[in-house]
Amino acid sequence: MSIGETLAREREQAGLTLTQVSLQTRIRESVIRAMEHDDFSTCGGNFYARGHIRSVSRVIGIDPEPLVREYDDAHGGAPMPLSAAAAFEPERAVAFRERRSPNWSAAMALALALVVVYGIFQVVTTAGGGERRTARQVAGTPAPARTTPSKAPPKANDPVAAAPRKKVVLQVKARRTTWVNIRGDKGEQLFSGMIRAGDSRKWTEKKKISILIGNGGGLRVAVNGEDIGTPGQGGGVTRMTFTPDDPKTA
């Protein structure tokens, strides 16, 4: 089986579409489609082709190295490693400027000028500083301490303070490797990627959680502590949204 056939087969078994793989890898959908037909000319060269193979393989859940070796065997072998001496050797000689000796005469003159200026400043401030007093020092009253008002504790019979805040808790366990995207209250992305078979994940939000499953039959879902089973028995993409009141009962 060729590289492209392997990528296409494993992507389909993971329940992912070309669009979903493109979003995860940031590789154009047309490039991925060409790779699945063993056309790597749109990758932009051998270096990028190897990177694309690795990126797609990780998203669909397979080891990329055998495919990369197969690609190298079919395209002239792996690139030769660059030696450290060649990597750091300059293309042309670097010209160094002759180091000049410090000008000690100028440095001494500058230091002497600073000492003179500092002495003049001290004389002026000492002469006029004895008569400077602030208005508060003349009055002899200390400044009042600033206090921060404390918040009153909530009353015991306050229904707003006593009522616990509801949250929505989503737990999933993968029956087989499946791509999942989780979004929170304001549409922010909480998770996006593959969940391996047997792995479990959990998320908590205040108002709602939305889940998009690449293969609905591969995931078991529990909402707010109640198991709701496998949402997509027949497989395929499944989208759901849950709130703190779910699952609703009759």
mmCIF file of all heavy atoms in Angstrom, residues 157-196:
data_model
loop_
_atom_site.group_PDB
_atom_site.id
_atom_site.type_symbol
_atom_site.label_atom_id
_atom_site.label_comp_id
_atom_site.label_asym_id
_atom_site.label_seq_id
_atom_site.Cartn_x
_atom_site.Cartn_y
_atom_site.Cartn_z
ATOM 1 N N ASN A 157 -29.905 34.315 55.561
ATOM 2 C CA ASN A 157 -31.162 34.061 54.869
ATOM 3 C C ASN A 157 -31.212 34.694 53.489
ATOM 4 O O ASN A 157 -32.278 34.847 52.913
ATOM 5 C CB ASN A 157 -32.338 34.570 55.719
ATOM 6 C CG ASN A 157 -32.197 36.067 56.020
ATOM 7 O OD1 ASN A 157 -31.183 36.662 55.690
ATOM 8 N ND2 ASN A 157 -33.206 36.651 56.654
ATOM 9 N N ASP A 158 -30.074 35.114 52.961
ATOM 10 C CA ASP A 158 -30.026 35.722 51.620
ATOM 11 C C ASP A 158 -30.095 34.606 50.588
ATOM 12 O O ASP A 158 -29.155 33.795 50.462
ATOM 13 C CB ASP A 158 -28.721 36.503 51.456
ATOM 14 C CG ASP A 158 -28.712 37.291 50.155
ATOM 15 O OD1 ASP A 158 -29.628 37.090 49.336
ATOM 16 O OD2 ASP A 158 -27.782 38.095 49.976
ATOM 17 N N PRO A 159 -31.194 34.502 49.784
ATOM 18 C CA PRO A 159 -31.323 33.375 48.848
ATOM 19 C C PRO A 159 -30.277 33.414 47.751
ATOM 20 O O PRO A 159 -29.870 32.393 47.239
ATOM 21 C CB PRO A 159 -32.741 33.555 48.283
ATOM 22 C CG PRO A 159 -33.048 35.016 48.489
ATOM 23 C CD PRO A 159 -32.349 35.401 49.754
ATOM 24 N N VAL A 160 -29.823 34.611 47.359
ATOM 25 C CA VAL A 160 -28.821 34.702 46.290
ATOM 26 C C VAL A 160 -27.494 34.158 46.767
ATOM 27 O O VAL A 160 -26.781 33.450 46.055
ATOM 28 C CB VAL A 160 -28.687 36.171 45.827
ATOM 29 C CG1 VAL A 160 -27.589 36.284 44.770
ATOM 30 C CG2 VAL A 160 -30.009 36.676 45.279
ATOM 31 N N ALA A 161 -27.110 34.514 48.036
ATOM 32 C CA ALA A 161 -25.835 34.045 48.558
ATOM 33 C C ALA A 161 -25.881 32.559 48.886
ATOM 34 O O ALA A 161 -24.885 31.857 48.786
ATOM 35 C CB ALA A 161 -25.453 34.845 49.800
ATOM 36 N N ALA A 162 -27.043 32.058 49.308
ATOM 37 C CA ALA A 162 -27.131 30.675 49.750
ATOM 38 C C ALA A 162 -27.228 29.698 48.585
ATOM 39 O O ALA A 162 -26.805 28.563 48.698
ATOM 40 C CB ALA A 162 -28.346 30.508 50.672
ATOM 41 N N ALA A 163 -27.822 30.124 47.456
ATOM 42 C CA ALA A 163 -28.047 29.203 46.346
ATOM 43 C C ALA A 163 -26.731 28.871 45.651
ATOM 44 O O ALA A 163 -25.991 29.769 45.266
ATOM 45 C CB ALA A 163 -29.019 29.832 45.343
ATOM 46 N N PRO A 164 -26.396 27.585 45.514
ATOM 47 C CA PRO A 164 -25.151 27.222 44.811
ATOM 48 C C PRO A 164 -25.266 27.487 43.321
ATOM 49 O O PRO A 164 -26.338 27.359 42.734
ATOM 50 C CB PRO A 164 -25.021 25.715 45.097
ATOM 51 C CG PRO A 164 -26.431 25.256 45.312
ATOM 52 C CD PRO A 164 -27.136 26.406 45.965
ATOM 53 N N ARG A 165 -24.159 27.853 42.721
ATOM 54 C CA ARG A 165 -24.152 28.104 41.284
ATOM 55 C C ARG A 165 -24.064 26.788 40.528
ATOM 56 O O ARG A 165 -23.215 25.954 40.813
ATOM 57 C CB ARG A 165 -22.960 28.978 40.902
ATOM 58 C CG ARG A 165 -23.077 30.405 41.411
ATOM 59 C CD ARG A 165 -21.945 31.245 40.864
ATOM 60 N NE ARG A 165 -22.068 32.637 41.260
ATOM 61 C CZ ARG A 165 -21.208 33.591 40.909
ATOM 62 N NH1 ARG A 165 -20.159 33.269 40.170
ATOM 63 N NH2 ARG A 165 -21.388 34.830 41.296
ATOM 64 N N LYS A 166 -24.940 26.617 39.532
ATOM 65 C CA LYS A 166 -24.914 25.418 38.716
ATOM 66 C C LYS A 166 -23.803 25.496 37.672
ATOM 67 O O LYS A 166 -23.458 26.566 37.196
ATOM 68 C CB LYS A 166 -26.264 25.233 38.015
ATOM 69 C CG LYS A 166 -27.359 24.687 38.907
ATOM 70 C CD LYS A 166 -28.581 24.356 38.072
ATOM 71 C CE LYS A 166 -29.651 23.693 38.915
ATOM 72 N NZ LYS A 166 -30.831 23.334 38.079
ATOM 73 N N LYS A 167 -23.277 24.345 37.345
ATOM 74 C CA LYS A 167 -22.287 24.257 36.274
ATOM 75 C C LYS A 167 -22.617 23.053 35.409
ATOM 76 O O LYS A 167 -23.367 22.164 35.829
ATOM 77 C CB LYS A 167 -20.872 24.121 36.843
ATOM 78 C CG LYS A 167 -20.380 25.357 37.579
ATOM 79 C CD LYS A 167 -18.930 25.177 38.027
ATOM 80 C CE LYS A 167 -18.442 26.426 38.736
ATOM 81 N NZ LYS A 167 -17.032 26.285 39.185
ATOM 82 N N VAL A 168 -22.058 23.030 34.209
ATOM 83 C CA VAL A 168 -22.223 21.885 33.327
ATOM 84 C C VAL A 168 -20.904 21.125 33.293
ATOM 85 O O VAL A 168 -19.841 21.708 33.098
ATOM 86 C CB VAL A 168 -22.674 22.314 31.917
ATOM 87 C CG1 VAL A 168 -21.736 23.343 31.320
ATOM 88 C CG2 VAL A 168 -22.746 21.105 30.983
ATOM 89 N N VAL A 169 -20.981 19.813 33.540
ATOM 90 C CA VAL A 169 -19.801 18.948 33.570
ATOM 91 C C VAL A 169 -19.938 17.914 32.464
ATOM 92 O O VAL A 169 -20.943 17.181 32.411
ATOM 93 C CB VAL A 169 -19.652 18.253 34.935
ATOM 94 C CG1 VAL A 169 -18.416 17.363 34.936
ATOM 95 C CG2 VAL A 169 -19.577 19.284 36.047
ATOM 96 N N LEU A 170 -18.950 17.853 31.582
ATOM 97 C CA LEU A 170 -18.960 16.916 30.451
ATOM 98 C C LEU A 170 -17.800 15.944 30.605
ATOM 99 O O LEU A 170 -16.649 16.354 30.789
ATOM 100 C CB LEU A 170 -18.829 17.682 29.130
ATOM 101 C CG LEU A 170 -18.664 16.815 27.865
ATOM 102 C CD1 LEU A 170 -19.933 16.003 27.613
ATOM 103 C CD2 LEU A 170 -18.345 17.694 26.657
ATOM 104 N N GLN A 171 -18.113 14.638 30.564
ATOM 105 C CA GLN A 171 -17.095 13.601 30.628
ATOM 106 C C GLN A 171 -17.239 12.702 29.407
ATOM 107 O O GLN A 171 -18.364 12.354 29.011
ATOM 108 C CB GLN A 171 -17.248 12.756 31.901
ATOM 109 C CG GLN A 171 -17.002 13.535 33.189
ATOM 110 C CD GLN A 171 -17.317 12.701 34.412
ATOM 111 O OE1 GLN A 171 -18.466 12.616 34.834
ATOM 112 N NE2 GLN A 171 -16.291 12.090 34.977
ATOM 113 N N VAL A 172 -16.106 12.340 28.788
ATOM 114 C CA VAL A 172 -16.137 11.462 27.626
ATOM 115 C C VAL A 172 -15.102 10.355 27.810
ATOM 116 O O VAL A 172 -14.080 10.540 28.469
ATOM 117 C CB VAL A 172 -15.851 12.228 26.310
ATOM 118 C CG1 VAL A 172 -16.882 13.311 26.094
ATOM 119 C CG2 VAL A 172 -14.450 12.827 26.316
ATOM 120 N N LYS A 173 -15.398 9.192 27.221
ATOM 121 C CA LYS A 173 -14.447 8.081 27.172
ATOM 122 C C LYS A 173 -14.476 7.502 25.774
ATOM 123 O O LYS A 173 -15.554 7.184 25.235
ATOM 124 C CB LYS A 173 -14.816 7.009 28.203
ATOM 125 C CG LYS A 173 -13.789 5.872 28.230
ATOM 126 C CD LYS A 173 -14.057 4.898 29.372
ATOM 127 C CE LYS A 173 -12.985 3.819 29.413
ATOM 128 N NZ LYS A 173 -13.201 2.861 30.530
ATOM 129 N N ALA A 174 -13.297 7.375 25.151
ATOM 130 C CA ALA A 174 -13.198 6.930 23.766
ATOM 131 C C ALA A 174 -13.257 5.415 23.686
ATOM 132 O O ALA A 174 -12.469 4.709 24.324
ATOM 133 C CB ALA A 174 -11.911 7.447 23.132
ATOM 134 N N ARG A 175 -14.216 4.909 22.897
ATOM 135 C CA ARG A 175 -14.266 3.475 22.605
ATOM 136 C C ARG A 175 -13.231 3.107 21.550
ATOM 137 O O ARG A 175 -12.709 2.017 21.535
ATOM 138 C CB ARG A 175 -15.672 3.109 22.134
ATOM 139 C CG ARG A 175 -16.758 3.412 23.167
ATOM 140 C CD ARG A 175 -18.139 3.226 22.586
ATOM 141 N NE ARG A 175 -18.354 1.864 22.101
ATOM 142 C CZ ARG A 175 -19.368 1.525 21.311
ATOM 143 N NH1 ARG A 175 -20.261 2.441 20.936
ATOM 144 N NH2 ARG A 175 -19.508 0.284 20.916
ATOM 145 N N ARG A 176 -12.955 4.052 20.652
ATOM 146 C CA ARG A 176 -11.861 3.922 19.694
ATOM 147 C C ARG A 176 -11.351 5.321 19.373
ATOM 148 O O ARG A 176 -12.010 6.306 19.681
ATOM 149 C CB ARG A 176 -12.317 3.194 18.424
ATOM 150 C CG ARG A 176 -13.545 3.758 17.753
ATOM 151 C CD ARG A 176 -13.878 2.953 16.500
ATOM 152 N NE ARG A 176 -15.138 3.359 15.898
ATOM 153 C CZ ARG A 176 -16.300 2.802 16.158
ATOM 154 N NH1 ARG A 176 -16.375 1.801 17.035
ATOM 155 N NH2 ARG A 176 -17.406 3.212 15.570
ATOM 156 N N THR A 177 -10.183 5.396 18.788
ATOM 157 C CA THR A 177 -9.542 6.696 18.541
ATOM 158 C C THR A 177 -10.464 7.592 17.724
ATOM 159 O O THR A 177 -10.919 7.221 16.633
ATOM 160 C CB THR A 177 -8.210 6.499 17.808
ATOM 161 O OG1 THR A 177 -7.362 5.681 18.622
ATOM 162 C CG2 THR A 177 -7.532 7.844 17.570
ATOM 163 N N THR A 178 -10.733 8.793 18.253
ATOM 164 C CA THR A 178 -11.737 9.688 17.662
ATOM 165 C C THR A 178 -11.278 11.135 17.786
ATOM 166 O O THR A 178 -10.702 11.513 18.804
ATOM 167 C CB THR A 178 -13.102 9.529 18.373
ATOM 168 O OG1 THR A 178 -13.486 8.167 18.343
ATOM 169 C CG2 THR A 178 -14.175 10.371 17.690
ATOM 170 N N TRP A 179 -11.556 11.944 16.751
ATOM 171 C CA TRP A 179 -11.258 13.385 16.809
ATOM 172 C C TRP A 179 -12.404 14.100 17.504
ATOM 173 O O TRP A 179 -13.579 13.844 17.245
ATOM 174 C CB TRP A 179 -11.073 13.933 15.406
ATOM 175 C CG TRP A 179 -10.814 15.415 15.374
ATOM 176 C CD1 TRP A 179 -9.640 16.053 15.517
ATOM 177 C CD2 TRP A 179 -11.793 16.449 15.163
ATOM 178 N NE1 TRP A 179 -9.788 17.397 15.437
ATOM 179 C CE2 TRP A 179 -11.094 17.689 15.222
ATOM 180 C CE3 TRP A 179 -13.160 16.467 14.954
ATOM 181 C CZ2 TRP A 179 -11.729 18.902 15.048
ATOM 182 C CZ3 TRP A 179 -13.799 17.687 14.794
ATOM 183 C CH2 TRP A 179 -13.079 18.880 14.837
ATOM 184 N N VAL A 180 -12.066 15.047 18.436
ATOM 185 C CA VAL A 180 -13.073 15.760 19.236
ATOM 186 C C VAL A 180 -12.697 17.237 19.306
ATOM 187 O O VAL A 180 -11.524 17.579 19.422
ATOM 188 C CB VAL A 180 -13.157 15.180 20.673
ATOM 189 C CG1 VAL A 180 -14.149 15.979 21.502
ATOM 190 C CG2 VAL A 180 -13.563 13.718 20.639
ATOM 191 N N ASN A 181 -13.712 18.111 19.242
ATOM 192 C CA ASN A 181 -13.529 19.553 19.428
ATOM 193 C C ASN A 181 -14.505 20.012 20.509
ATOM 194 O O ASN A 181 -15.709 19.764 20.410
ATOM 195 C CB ASN A 181 -13.784 20.306 18.123
ATOM 196 C CG ASN A 181 -13.560 21.798 18.277
ATOM 197 O OD1 ASN A 181 -14.435 22.529 18.724
ATOM 198 N ND2 ASN A 181 -12.386 22.259 17.892
ATOM 199 N N ILE A 182 -13.984 20.688 21.562
ATOM 200 C CA ILE A 182 -14.803 21.143 22.694
ATOM 201 C C ILE A 182 -14.726 22.664 22.772
ATOM 202 O O ILE A 182 -13.638 23.233 22.738
ATOM 203 C CB ILE A 182 -14.312 20.540 24.025
ATOM 204 C CG1 ILE A 182 -14.243 19.003 23.935
ATOM 205 C CG2 ILE A 182 -15.226 20.967 25.165
ATOM 206 C CD1 ILE A 182 -15.558 18.323 23.797
ATOM 207 N N ARG A 183 -15.907 23.338 22.907
ATOM 208 C CA ARG A 183 -15.954 24.796 23.046
ATOM 209 C C ARG A 183 -16.775 25.156 24.281
ATOM 210 O O ARG A 183 -17.727 24.455 24.634
ATOM 211 C CB ARG A 183 -16.532 25.463 21.796
ATOM 212 C CG ARG A 183 -15.630 25.284 20.584
ATOM 213 C CD ARG A 183 -16.071 26.116 19.395
ATOM 214 N NE ARG A 183 -15.161 25.946 18.279
ATOM 215 C CZ ARG A 183 -14.057 26.654 18.116
ATOM 216 N NH1 ARG A 183 -13.759 27.592 18.992
ATOM 217 N NH2 ARG A 183 -13.269 26.450 17.073
ATOM 218 N N GLY A 184 -16.407 26.294 24.927
ATOM 219 C CA GLY A 184 -17.016 26.699 26.184
ATOM 220 C C GLY A 184 -18.132 27.710 26.036
ATOM 221 O O GLY A 184 -18.755 27.848 24.975
ATOM 222 N N ASP A 185 -18.372 28.481 27.140
ATOM 223 C CA ASP A 185 -19.509 29.406 27.225
ATOM 224 C C ASP A 185 -19.573 30.392 26.064
ATOM 225 O O ASP A 185 -20.619 30.617 25.466
ATOM 226 C CB ASP A 185 -19.430 30.189 28.543
ATOM 227 C CG ASP A 185 -19.660 29.285 29.743
ATOM 228 O OD1 ASP A 185 -20.276 28.227 29.557
ATOM 229 O OD2 ASP A 185 -19.222 29.643 30.843
ATOM 230 N N LYS A 186 -18.441 31.018 25.752
ATOM 231 C CA LYS A 186 -18.416 32.080 24.746
ATOM 232 C C LYS A 186 -17.842 31.603 23.421
ATOM 233 O O LYS A 186 -17.382 32.397 22.613
ATOM 234 C CB LYS A 186 -17.592 33.256 25.266
ATOM 235 C CG LYS A 186 -18.157 33.854 26.548
ATOM 236 C CD LYS A 186 -17.312 35.002 27.059
ATOM 237 C CE LYS A 186 -17.869 35.583 28.359
ATOM 238 N NZ LYS A 186 -17.039 36.685 28.873
ATOM 239 N N GLY A 187 -17.836 30.316 23.195
ATOM 240 C CA GLY A 187 -17.331 29.770 21.946
ATOM 241 C C GLY A 187 -15.837 29.563 21.933
ATOM 242 O O GLY A 187 -15.267 29.182 20.915
ATOM 243 N N GLU A 188 -15.158 29.789 23.103
ATOM 244 C CA GLU A 188 -13.711 29.602 23.137
ATOM 245 C C GLU A 188 -13.378 28.115 23.093
ATOM 246 O O GLU A 188 -14.081 27.291 23.640
ATOM 247 C CB GLU A 188 -13.102 30.251 24.380
ATOM 248 C CG GLU A 188 -13.392 29.560 25.705
ATOM 249 C CD GLU A 188 -14.741 29.902 26.284
ATOM 250 O OE1 GLU A 188 -15.558 30.507 25.554
ATOM 251 O OE2 GLU A 188 -14.998 29.558 27.455
ATOM 252 N N GLN A 189 -12.298 27.789 22.415
ATOM 253 C CA GLN A 189 -11.902 26.394 22.242
ATOM 254 C C GLN A 189 -11.225 25.868 23.495
ATOM 255 O O GLN A 189 -10.215 26.399 23.945
ATOM 256 C CB GLN A 189 -10.966 26.260 21.038
ATOM 257 C CG GLN A 189 -10.550 24.826 20.741
ATOM 258 C CD GLN A 189 -9.866 24.699 19.400
ATOM 259 O OE1 GLN A 189 -10.509 24.652 18.360
ATOM 260 N NE2 GLN A 189 -8.561 24.657 19.403
ATOM 261 N N LEU A 190 -11.794 24.802 24.088
ATOM 262 C CA LEU A 190 -11.222 24.167 25.271
ATOM 263 C C LEU A 190 -10.316 23.007 24.903
ATOM 264 O O LEU A 190 -9.339 22.735 25.602
ATOM 265 C CB LEU A 190 -12.335 23.667 26.197
ATOM 266 C CG LEU A 190 -13.377 24.704 26.639
ATOM 267 C CD1 LEU A 190 -14.422 24.051 27.516
ATOM 268 C CD2 LEU A 190 -12.701 25.873 27.367
ATOM 269 N N PHE A 191 -10.619 22.309 23.805
ATOM 270 C CA PHE A 191 -9.810 21.164 23.378
ATOM 271 C C PHE A 191 -10.106 20.885 21.915
ATOM 272 O O PHE A 191 -11.240 21.026 21.452
ATOM 273 C CB PHE A 191 -10.138 19.930 24.223
ATOM 274 C CG PHE A 191 -9.448 18.673 23.757
ATOM 275 C CD1 PHE A 191 -8.139 18.421 24.119
ATOM 276 C CD2 PHE A 191 -10.099 17.766 22.936
ATOM 277 C CE1 PHE A 191 -7.492 17.277 23.687
ATOM 278 C CE2 PHE A 191 -9.459 16.616 22.507
ATOM 279 C CZ PHE A 191 -8.152 16.377 22.879
ATOM 280 N N SER A 192 -9.093 20.454 21.190
ATOM 281 C CA SER A 192 -9.273 20.030 19.806
ATOM 282 C C SER A 192 -8.165 19.051 19.478
ATOM 283 O O SER A 192 -6.995 19.399 19.553
ATOM 284 C CB SER A 192 -9.246 21.240 18.849
ATOM 285 O OG SER A 192 -9.448 20.805 17.513
ATOM 286 N N GLY A 193 -8.541 17.826 19.158
ATOM 287 C CA GLY A 193 -7.528 16.839 18.821
ATOM 288 C C GLY A 193 -8.078 15.430 18.933
ATOM 289 O O GLY A 193 -9.280 15.195 19.050
ATOM 290 N N MET A 194 -7.165 14.443 18.901
ATOM 291 C CA MET A 194 -7.531 13.039 18.948
ATOM 292 C C MET A 194 -7.583 12.559 20.408
ATOM 293 O O MET A 194 -6.735 12.917 21.209
ATOM 294 C CB MET A 194 -6.514 12.200 18.178
ATOM 295 C CG MET A 194 -6.296 12.643 16.738
ATOM 296 S SD MET A 194 -7.755 12.425 15.699
ATOM 297 C CE MET A 194 -7.868 10.644 15.659
ATOM 298 N N ILE A 195 -8.592 11.759 20.732
ATOM 299 C CA ILE A 195 -8.658 11.054 22.007
ATOM 300 C C ILE A 195 -8.479 9.569 21.709
ATOM 301 O O ILE A 195 -9.261 8.985 20.950
ATOM 302 C CB ILE A 195 -9.985 11.308 22.734
ATOM 303 C CG1 ILE A 195 -10.136 12.812 23.044
ATOM 304 C CG2 ILE A 195 -10.068 10.508 24.027
ATOM 305 C CD1 ILE A 195 -11.401 13.151 23.794
ATOM 306 N N ARG A 196 -7.441 8.985 22.262
ATOM 307 C CA ARG A 196 -7.116 7.588 21.984
ATOM 308 C C ARG A 196 -8.129 6.648 22.633
ATOM 309 O O ARG A 196 -8.776 6.975 23.634
ATOM 310 C CB ARG A 196 -5.717 7.254 22.508
ATOM 311 C CG ARG A 196 -4.635 8.164 21.970
ATOM 312 C CD ARG A 196 -4.363 7.895 20.527
ATOM 313 N NE ARG A 196 -3.315 8.773 19.993
ATOM 314 C CZ ARG A 196 -2.932 8.781 18.733
ATOM 315 N NH1 ARG A 196 -3.506 7.963 17.868
ATOM 316 N NH2 ARG A 196 -1.978 9.600 18.320
#
